[in-house]
Amino acid sequence: MDIVWIIAVTALDVIRSIYSAKFYQEIDWPCYSQDGVRLLSGDFDYANYLCEWGYMYYPAGFAYAYAFFQWITSGQVQTMITIHIVISAINTFLTASLFAPYLNRYQRIIFLLIPLLAQNIYRTAISRITNDTHLLLLILLMLHSIVRQRYILSSIFFSLAVSFKMNALFYGPSLLFLYLHRLPFSKVVFHFLGMGIFQAALPLPFLLTAPTSYVTLAFNFSRDFESRLNMAWGFLGDDMRHEKSFYRLLLTLTIFFLILFFVMMRRIMVSNFQEFSRRTKISSFLEYWEFRDSSEVDLFLFLIPNLIGYTFSRGIHIQFILWISYAMPYLLMKCCQFNFLVSMVIYMTFDWCHSWVPNVIILSKFPRILQEILAGDFAKGIEILRFQVFTQLKSIPMQDAITMSDPPVKVLGAYYPFGFSWDVIPASFILFCIEMMILFGVFQRMKRIMMAKKSLFVNG
């Protein structure tokens, strides 16, 4: 039954991807295609990798990947869209097969509905053929290697992911924690030394040609997004969001939650999973542990630090939804233990928040909806809900995407162009609430597991 469900989810993804391809919007591909042409021509100076959107702020693996795509597509958009459809299907197959053992048949339904109802995920992956589709492939291959305890493969895929985009570093602390827990220290040193050598060797042609431009551009940590395209903390306003003290606060919160998570995981994980299960009744063990087996513990270990990094990032581009969307059904239904309906509503709200035009909720329209429903006009009430309550602010002027500074609206971010209003709830605030709600559910679950584990050891 698992393979039938996995194939069905993948087939629906292909159908939705083909449909989304009809709405292609030219954004990133021309720039990446130009970068590929430069590399194929033998140009290894990152200062020359400049297009209308600015410089290429990615490591060497990214440059090699898009040089390859340029070589096989000759810059043809339709060929690249086809490649994205294929990679999206592979990602869906890998996602479904990764989570299938840990979800019951009712929880799996949400994966069947995502291709039918999700909007911005497919707009990002297919309609705009963004680079995060390729990154997700490497992350999923790494996670499959982790749950199967193929640690050499997991190190290889993690290295490739980091060389493609640096946000893969969110999984780095989990990789180190797992290796220290499962491998002898000498093998841990071997793995990380190998990954370090790979990361140093890959950009060698760029470092030998123009080391300063490569280091300053490929590892530009000061880069930020304009308010219109930033899904993180836009509700705070640009003046506060660009304060260095606010950056330090976000970094402190990230480190705090990571330390808290790994300290709790250290108490949850045991050196011999089988021994602990033999000391207790199997039914009680699975009931209180709340994990199917040790492979699910490993998967959980990697998903949560990524969520923490995503939640407290100072800049989240709309396309970064792919960093976390693949794990959302599992986080909602297994970690937070929401029922199917609540999980689906939260997931669709999460998708709605990642809009390429800033979304908002207008609270003052709710009485009008109630009025129409009481009058018996349900169709009018739904129309107001769709187009007047959940709506967009289109009066925000576009920012110069190259400079990414000095946005024209500085009252309370791009969401309040005419001044602050309690009537308007920006999508970025709703997104932050969803992320914090999931984190709270995760830590509550971990606390419950720790208490149950202690009880089983005492009474087992």
Side-chain angles (χ1 to χ4, degrees):
M1 288 299 294
D2 282 355
I3 189 62
V4 174
W5 173 75
I6 293 171
I7 292 175
V9 173
T10 306
L12 286 175
D13 175 85
V14 172
I15 294 172
R16 178 56 192 272
S17 295
I18 294 174
Y19 174 77
S20 299
K22 294 166 39 177
F23 305 98
Y24 168 75
Q25 290 182 307
E26 190 173 275
I27 297 180
D28 289 336
W29 170 240
C31 289
Y32 300 154
S33 177
Q34 293 173 29
D35 295 333
V37 169
R38 291 187 182 94
L39 184 55
L40 291 174
S41 66
D43 187 350
F44 292 98
D45 187 353
Y46 252 49
N48 298 329
Y49 287 62
L50 178 68
C51 68
E52 61 178 316
W53 293 107
Y55 289 101
M56 184 175 69
Y57 298 101
Y58 303 107
F62 185 94
Y64 292 134
Y66 273 90
F68 173 74
F69 289 137
Q70 172 63 25
W71 177 66
I72 63 176
T73 65
S74 299
Q76 298 297 315
V77 172
Q78 290 303 320
T79 307
M80 194 60 188
I81 291 176
T82 303
I83 292 174
H84 269 252
I85 292 175
V86 172
I87 294 179
S88 178
I90 296 173
N91 288 345
T92 300
F93 181 89
L94 291 174
T95 302
S97 58
L98 180 66
F99 292 108
Y102 316 120
L103 300 175
N104 60 42
R105 59 181 179 177
Y106 298 108
Q107 293 170 335
R108 294 179 183 181
I109 297 176
I110 193 171
F111 283 94
L112 294 171
L113 294 178
I114 287 173
L116 302 176
L117 300 177
Q119 296 291 330
N120 292 312
I121 293 174
Y122 287 91
R123 288 174 182 170
T124 295
I126 305 300
S127 300
R128 294 173 174 86
I129 54 175
T130 56
N131 54 66
D132 293 279
T133 306
H134 314 299
L135 175 69
L136 180 58
L137 174 62
L138 297 173
I139 295 298
L140 289 171
L141 289 172
M142 180 195 70
L143 293 176
H144 271 274
S145 303
I146 289 294
V147 298
R148 288 164 175 77
Q149 298 185 4
R150 302 290 190 265
Y151 296 134
I152 292 180
L153 285 177
S154 63
S155 295
I156 292 173
F157 289 125
F158 175 74
S159 295
L160 290 172
V162 171
S163 71
F164 189 81
K165 290 190 74 172
M166 286 189 296
N167 68 283
L169 289 172
F170 287 164
Y171 296 94
S174 298
L175 198 69
L176 176 61
F177 181 90
L178 181 70
Y179 284 0
L180 289 173
H181 188 76
R182 295 284 171 82
L183 300 175
F185 184 75
S186 59
K187 289 190 175 182
V188 177
V189 174
F190 169 77
H191 277 274
F192 278 87
L193 183 61
M195 289 187 284
I197 293 173
F198 176 81
Q199 295 300 326
L202 196 66
L204 201 57
F206 298 97
L207 293 173
L208 294 176
T209 303
T212 303
S213 62
Y214 176 77
V215 173
T216 56
L217 292 173
F219 302 97
N220 182 8
F221 294 102
S222 63
R223 183 187 177 211
D224 199 3
F225 300 108
E226 55 173 307
S227 293
R228 182 182 178 276
L229 299 178
N230 185 22
M231 291 308 305
W233 315 105
F235 59 92
L236 294 178
D238 286 311
D239 289 340
M240 179 181 294
R241 196 170 62 83
H242 292 296
E243 287 287 339
K244 291 184 178 180
S245 58
F246 181 64
Y247 294 164
R248 288 192 287 267
L249 173 62
L250 292 180
L251 180 60
T252 302
L253 289 173
T254 302
I255 295 173
F256 169 77
F257 278 101
L258 285 176
I259 292 175
L260 177 63
F261 172 77
F262 287 118
V263 168
M264 296 179 73
M265 282 301 296
R266 181 66 184 87
R267 296 182 179 180
I268 290 175
M269 297 178 71
V270 292
S271 58
N272 193 325
F273 191 88
Q274 299 297 330
E275 178 183 354
F276 180 52
S277 63
R278 285 197 301 268
R279 290 186 57 181
T280 62
K281 294 181 180 179
I282 292 296
S283 58
S284 299
F285 171 73
L286 293 177
E287 177 184 355
Y288 286 107
W289 188 273
E290 299 185 3
F291 290 116
R292 178 178 176 268
D293 52 31
S294 60
S295 67
E296 187 176 4
V297 178
D298 295 344
L299 180 61
F300 181 80
L301 175 65
F302 277 78
L303 296 182
I304 307 308
N306 181 53
L307 174 63
I308 293 172
Y310 188 87
T311 301
F312 297 108
S313 294
R314 65 187 179 94
I316 292 293
H317 199 284
I318 294 93
Q319 70 190 51
F320 296 170
I321 185 177
L322 298 180
W323 294 4
I324 195 70
S325 60
Y326 76 95
M328 284 295 288
Y330 177 85
L331 294 174
L332 291 170
M333 291 184 289
K334 287 299 293 288
C335 297
C336 298
Q337 297 185 332
F338 292 128
N339 61 38
F340 170 78
L341 181 60
V342 173
S343 298
M344 197 66 209
V345 170
I346 295 175
Y347 188 92
M348 297 313 301
T349 305
F350 173 82
D351 178 79
W352 174 83
C353 288
H354 290 80
S355 173
W356 289 79
V357 177
N359 280 332
V360 294
I361 295 179
I362 310 297
L363 297 179
S364 61
K365 301 296 181 180
F366 276 103
R368 177 75 186 282
I369 296 175
L370 182 61
Q371 179 183 354
E372 296 295 342
I373 292 177
L374 292 176
D377 194 345
F378 293 96
K380 184 64 174 179
I382 295 175
E383 180 182 350
I384 295 173
L385 181 67
R386 288 185 58 193
F387 299 108
Q388 296 185 32
V389 175
F390 293 90
T391 185
Q392 298 174 334
L393 285 182
K394 298 182 179 181
S395 58
I396 303 167
M398 272 295 292
Q399 168 75 4
D400 183 357
I402 296 180
T403 61
M404 295 186 182
S405 63
D406 295 329
V409 178
K410 286 192 174 182
V411 181
L412 269 179
Y415 297 100
Y416 300 100
F418 307 111
F420 178 74
S421 172
W422 290 106
D423 181 40
V424 179
I425 302 179
S428 61
F429 179 74
I430 300 173
L431 179 63
F432 171 70
C433 292
I434 291 175
E435 294 164 347
M436 292 305 297
M437 176 182 62
I438 296 175
L439 279 180
F440 178 79
V442 165
F443 283 104
Q444 282 290 104
R445 181 192 186 193
M446 294 177 70
K447 181 181 177 181
R448 186 168 61 249
I449 295 173
M450 289 172 57
M451 295 176 63
K453 175 173 175 273
K454 181 179 179 181
S455 174
L456 286 176
F457 266 118
V458 171
N459 302 321

